[in-house]
Amino acid sequence: MPDPMRTPVSTYRLQITADFDLFEAARRLPYLHALGVDWVYLSPILAAEPGSSHGYDVVAFDHIDASRGGAEGLAAVSAEARRLGMGVLVDIVPNHVGVATPAENAWWWDLLRHGRDSAYADAFDVDWDAGDGKVLIPVVGDGDESSIRVEGGELRYHDHRFPLAPGTSTHEEQHYRLVSWRDADDRLNYRRFFAVNTLAGVRVEDPEVFARSHAEIKRWFDKGLVDGLRVDHPDGLRDPQGYLDDLAELTGGAYVLVEKILEPGESLPITWATQGTTGYDALAFIDRVLTDPAGQAPLDALEARLRGGRIDWTEMIRGTKRAVADGILQSEVRRIVREAEAHLGGRVAAEERGGVSRPSTVSLRDAVAELLACFPVYRSYLPEGRDHLEEAFAHARRTRPDLASTFDALEPVLADPANPPALRFQQTSGMVMAKGVEDCAFYRWSRLTSLNEVGGDPSVFAIDPDGFHEAMATRQRDWPHAMTTLSTHDTKRGEDVRARITVLAEMPGLWEAALDRLLELAPVPDPGFGSLLWQAVLGAWTPEHLPDLPQRLHGYAEKAMREAGDHTTWTAPDEAYESAVHRAVDAVFTSDDVRAVLADLAARIDEPGRANALAAKVVAITMPGVPDVYQGSELWETSLVDPDNRRPVDFDHRAAVLAGEDTDDAVDKLHVTCTALTLRRDRPELFTTYVAVSATGDAAEHVLAFDRGGAITVATRLPAGLAARGGWGDTELALPPGEWHDALTGAPASPRLADLLATLPVALLVKEKP
């Protein structure tokens, strides 16, 4: 078993697929090592749904996906990593399994075949009574029940195949019932991942289920193949802390990260057996310290003009979350209510006890949905987070005073972690937050979309360097081994798309004029959405853009407008609205006038956008934590939302550029990435503390600098404003005593920023050895 105390200095995320399997990953490890990477970080590798491009739809816990390379592939990665002195981190998915193809999932197949008597009945979170003893499977199209048939010893519906219970031959005799796809919203009786019907929740809180579902993972550690784990969606689990304790015992205390999204001011529970989060909180700080606060007022005014009035973010997300609780996640609300009613003593529509009228089912559903809409963070972990629950009740009582007596009845039920409805409420609140905010409100708020990112609050516009330094000192003290990141498979926009959009905060007038002209040349029904769309185009567009950009932008536009859900949706698309938006996308490539506006705007933001990109990269790699480089992002990362951010990466090109055998417009970014990663890996003693480095002079606000204990990071912030004021002038850094040199240029370090940053907008200073 690997040393349980081993911790990565840095990681590099690879998306493992059938086309880029574990053997290919092993072949690319020498390049990653040359780049300066310490550990390779693999996306999920257990057996997944046929054709899965991401691996989060695991169908078997007992073996590695054959199409991804199987056990031999992981052995190859591990052996090559060991040869190079690297570690291996693997993403795991304990919360749910893929059930889109029941025959591929032995556990689910057995559950459907044998029902409550299945050997795997305890593995799934099914409310049998709510389905009259059956699992409800929402796959039937409108009026298409006649397509359900028995054939070949199975129940079939078009391409869907389901088992027959022993000795049966009809649909009515099964332990499941195929129902309308529309029933998923309010009748589904098994826990899911968010609103994805084909991802069924797993009860890893059951010790036997945990052991069965982690047998292959245990083998990885027993054989020394893997060094650490990233835990996907811990907020879906019944007991995240208990799960992490079990995982620590299974792995011998190995390095573990959790994909936990923290709201501003929220902290990760210190009792958890984890080294920290996967870095969305760090990403939010980096983006905001590089954002010009002076842009907030004019961009607020622009957003209000486009939307026909001022948008209250808090009220908007309460509405979008409430719509989710009343809509696609109403099944979960109803299950919480059923459990609450059981706790209160049964169905109580009009019953009175002790002279006090008890709430009806309808009012309980209304109240639970409102509480979910008002919950201020993803979830609580009672008794920890009781203050968040109290805040939700207080907010809900203000918004719905008519439900006061129902809230009074619910509060003691939902505040006690011994009560099943309290635990289920905790599992559900994060789903409502994710679907209502990340996957809806983020597409309805277009003030500055570089801030509309997972783990960030778009209403928080910017932070100053002092705020950043304070947060980083806390991070160094409390979570020094948590991950830092700029791009992931879940980010809404790649890091360099955001770097370009961030410049608009420094040029709000220029942006407003360009946007008005674009909306005139290529009108869309909703100018507020048009702002979001054109920011995406600007972030991803360059005169020499990749040939697949039209397809990518059309894909983004479709997803963005349907996720916004205010004019068109996935289940009820508005053809006229969508056609107008797609015509605007076409105009990017067919209209000379539109291209002229974009070219002029791009010419203004390109250089400051590059400076932002380099600043973000050097800060992310050198700030407290374990930096992750998402695959390919050592060069420009101009991906949009998934699946765009999981496109194949040209590693041959990157290796050639690193070796000096090829060129690329982003060679400076590659150089900064390689230099910073290598310094962190080879000189870890230089990165053990955190102290802000101050500056004096007229342009002092344009530098962000900090000393990690012998390595000083220097980054330009607000570069357009710096250029407008004529540069650094006499601004100087207050460098600590000693002789310093810039690892990026090799030159002696001058405290004068005009000299220090003459070649690049960033520097990485190392003290000369005596």
Side-chain angles (χ1 to χ4, degrees):
M1 182 171 289
D3 179 357
M5 299 304 293
R6 188 176 184 192
T7 300
V9 174
S10 64
T11 62
Y12 188 103
R13 168 78 175 211
L14 292 176
Q15 295 296 117
I16 305 300
T17 66
D19 295 326
F20 187 94
D21 63 12
L22 290 163
F23 292 106
E24 182 65 12
R27 193 167 78 84
R28 298 299 180 178
L29 289 188
Y31 162 69
L32 300 189
H33 185 264
L35 188 64
V37 173
D38 191 28
W39 286 22
V40 63
Y41 168 21
L42 308 176
S43 64
I45 58 175
L46 289 176
E49 288 279 1
S52 172
S53 63
H54 50 76
Y56 288 95
D57 44 7
V58 171
V59 296
F61 291 114
D62 60 354
H63 65 278
I64 296 172
D65 195 286
S67 71
R68 287 173 165 78
E72 296 81 3
L74 179 60
V77 168
S78 183
E80 182 66 352
R82 301 293 178 250
R83 185 185 73 82
L84 295 166
M86 300 175 71
V88 180
L89 180 73
V90 180
D91 198 344
I92 62 170
V93 191
N95 178 70
H96 53 266
V97 290
V99 296
T101 316
E104 296 291 332
N105 189 324
W107 290 21
W108 187 250
W109 187 267
D110 195 80
L111 178 80
L112 299 184
R113 189 164 189 260
H114 297 288
R116 285 172 161 166
D117 293 330
S118 167
Y120 301 99
D122 289 341
F124 296 100
D125 195 353
V126 179
D127 185 349
W128 294 99
D129 292 341
D132 296 325
K134 299 176 184 287
V135 179
L136 304 183
I137 302 178
V139 296
V140 181
D142 295 341
D144 196 31
E145 291 79 6
S146 62
S147 295
I148 302 173
R149 66 195 189 281
V150 174
E151 180 181 303
E154 297 174 345
L155 189 74
R156 299 192 177 181
Y157 175 72
H158 297 292
D159 293 335
H160 297 278
R161 297 169 47 219
F162 305 94
L164 293 177
T168 66
S169 59
T170 68
H171 182 200
E172 292 72 20
E173 296 175 284
Q174 304 314 309
H175 297 289
Y176 58 89
R177 185 162 71 251
L178 307 187
V179 298
S180 168
W181 66 274
R182 298 182 186 276
D183 288 339
D185 287 359
D186 57 14
R187 293 186 59 206
L188 202 72
N189 65 331
Y190 60 89
R191 183 171 63 85
R192 304 167 285 178
F193 170 72
F194 295 170
V196 184
N197 304 329
T198 54
L199 295 175
V202 177
R203 298 182 59 254
V204 291
E205 65 271 17
D206 182 302
E208 184 176 349
V209 175
F210 175 88
R212 285 180 170 184
S213 60
H214 288 68
E216 172 65 6
I217 295 169
K218 183 176 186 299
R219 184 186 73 84
W220 301 344
F221 286 90
D222 288 346
K223 299 294 186 182
L225 298 169
V226 166
D227 302 283
L229 300 171
R230 180 257 199 196
V231 177
D232 183 66
H233 190 48
D235 276 353
L237 304 179
R238 191 79 156 181
D239 178 14
Q241 179 174 334
Y243 171 78
L244 291 170
D245 288 341
D246 291 342
L247 196 63
E249 183 177 355
L250 179 137
T251 64
Y255 181 80
V256 168
L257 295 170
V258 289
E259 186 215 18
K260 167 62 186 171
I261 295 172
L262 299 170
E263 291 298 298
E266 184 185 9
S267 300
L268 192 67
I270 60 173
T271 53
W272 284 13
T274 177
Q275 279 64 52
T277 73
T278 52
Y280 292 120
D281 44 327
L283 181 157
F285 279 113
I286 296 168
D287 282 352
R288 281 158 181 77
V289 78
L290 299 178
T291 299
D292 188 352
Q296 180 170 354
L299 291 177
D300 275 341
L302 173 59
E303 179 81 348
R305 176 168 71 82
L306 296 173
R307 301 282 181 182
R310 180 179 174 273
I311 304 297
D312 183 319
W313 171 256
T314 301
E315 185 58 27
M316 180 174 74
I317 64 171
R318 188 189 74 83
T320 56
K321 290 167 67 179
R322 181 63 202 245
V324 168
D326 289 338
I328 58 175
L329 291 179
Q330 176 65 196
S331 290
E332 281 68 24
V333 170
R334 294 189 177 195
R335 190 166 181 186
I336 294 168
V337 168
R338 289 195 295 271
E339 292 184 349
E341 287 180 325
H343 183 80
L344 291 168
R347 294 193 174 276
V348 289
E351 180 183 344
E352 294 188 3
R353 181 178 295 174
V356 177
S357 178
R358 299 175 65 186
S360 69
T361 297
V362 171
S363 66
L364 284 168
R365 290 174 180 170
D366 197 359
V368 168
E370 189 66 16
L371 287 167
L372 291 168
C374 293
F375 210 78
V377 297
Y378 273 71
R379 64 166 284 177
S380 58
Y381 311 93
L382 293 173
E384 190 159 356
R386 174 68 185 268
D387 55 327
H388 297 310
L389 183 63
E390 292 172 352
E391 184 180 343
F393 270 102
H395 189 180
R397 286 186 170 101
R398 292 193 300 271
T399 58
R400 293 297 304 278
D402 57 308
L403 292 173
S405 62
T406 307
F407 291 137
D408 290 344
L410 272 174
E411 188 160 14
V413 176
L414 297 184
D416 186 350
N419 296 333
L423 298 177
R424 191 165 301 282
F425 182 91
Q426 292 186 131
Q427 289 178 281
T428 305
S429 61
M431 301 185 200
V432 174
M433 177 74 89
K435 297 306 297 180
V437 180
E438 291 174 34
D439 294 343
C440 181
F442 274 14
Y443 296 98
R444 296 187 186 183
W445 174 270
S446 53
R447 178 177 66 178
L448 187 68
T449 59
S450 54
L451 304 177
N452 297 16
E453 197 48 83
V454 179
D457 182 340
S459 69
V460 179
F461 193 84
I463 61 171
D464 61 21
D466 287 345
F468 180 84
H469 293 314
E470 181 181 357
M472 293 306 103
T474 300
R475 184 180 180 88
Q476 174 65 28
R477 183 191 68 212
D478 297 342
W479 299 102
H481 303 305
M483 184 173 278
T484 69
T485 192
L486 289 175
S487 299
T488 76
H489 63 285
D490 275 335
T491 41
K492 304 297 184 184
R493 295 161 189 82
E495 60 200 60
D496 299 321
V497 173
R498 300 199 310 277
R500 290 167 64 82
I501 293 172
T502 296
V503 180
L504 301 181
E506 296 193 74
M507 303 177 175
L510 176 70
W511 165 240
E512 181 170 11
L515 176 62
D516 285 345
R517 179 60 174 153
L518 290 168
L519 292 173
E520 177 187 349
L521 293 170
V524 294
D526 179 350
F529 180 82
S531 175
L532 181 140
L533 177 65
W534 285 112
Q535 287 178 62
V537 172
L538 181 65
W541 184 85
T542 60
E544 60 280 349
H545 58 75
L546 297 175
D548 63 352
L549 187 59
Q551 178 184 355
R552 292 172 53 215
L553 287 177
H554 279 295
Y556 174 80
E558 178 182 82
K559 182 166 185 173
M561 58 183 156
R562 292 182 179 181
E563 295 282 62
D566 47 357
H567 298 289
T568 186
T569 67
W570 292 106
T571 55
D574 183 314
E575 184 177 347
Y577 179 87
E578 294 194 0
S579 294
V581 171
H582 285 298
R583 284 195 297 272
V585 174
D586 284 335
V588 175
F589 308 99
T590 61
S591 168
D592 291 340
D593 290 338
V594 166
R595 283 203 303 276
V597 175
L598 284 172
D600 178 66
L601 192 56
R604 309 286 188 93
I605 73 162
D606 278 350
E607 281 306 311
R610 293 167 73 95
N612 282 342
L614 296 183
K617 203 64 172 177
V618 75
V619 169
I621 293 175
T622 60
M623 67 189 277
V626 175
D628 177 58
V629 176
Y630 186 67
Q631 62 173 26
S633 66
E634 60 270 35
L635 295 181
W636 298 136
E637 164 57 328
T638 56
S639 297
L640 298 169
V641 71
D642 69 281
D644 192 54
N645 53 21
R646 293 197 291 266
R647 288 172 293 138
V649 172
D650 188 344
F651 284 105
D652 288 335
H653 173 62
R654 283 161 174 78
V657 175
L658 183 64
E661 299 167 355
D662 202 350
T663 60
D664 193 279
D665 181 57
V667 66
D668 286 344
K669 189 182 183 190
L670 181 71
H671 175 60
V672 167
T673 302
C674 180
T675 302
L677 287 175
T678 302
L679 187 65
R680 285 211 67 166
R681 183 186 64 194
D682 295 350
R683 300 286 306 279
E685 74 279 4
L686 302 179
F687 297 88
T688 58
T689 62
Y690 186 92
V691 177
V693 175
S694 62
T696 57
D698 291 343
E701 67 173 339
H702 291 279
V703 65
L704 178 72
F706 50 85
D707 184 353
R708 292 299 320 282
I712 296 178
T713 296
V714 185
T716 301
R717 61 186 295 269
L718 318 185
L722 177 66
R725 72 186 306 151
W728 292 107
D730 62 356
T731 305
E732 291 192 355
L733 279 181
L735 290 177
E739 298 295 321
W740 299 80
H741 75 274
D742 183 1
L744 296 175
T745 64
S750 166
R752 291 189 71 251
L753 286 167
D755 298 330
L756 180 63
L757 303 181
T759 302
L760 292 171
V762 296
L764 183 54
L765 310 185
V766 179
K767 196 171 187 178
E768 297 285 3
K769 293 181 180 180

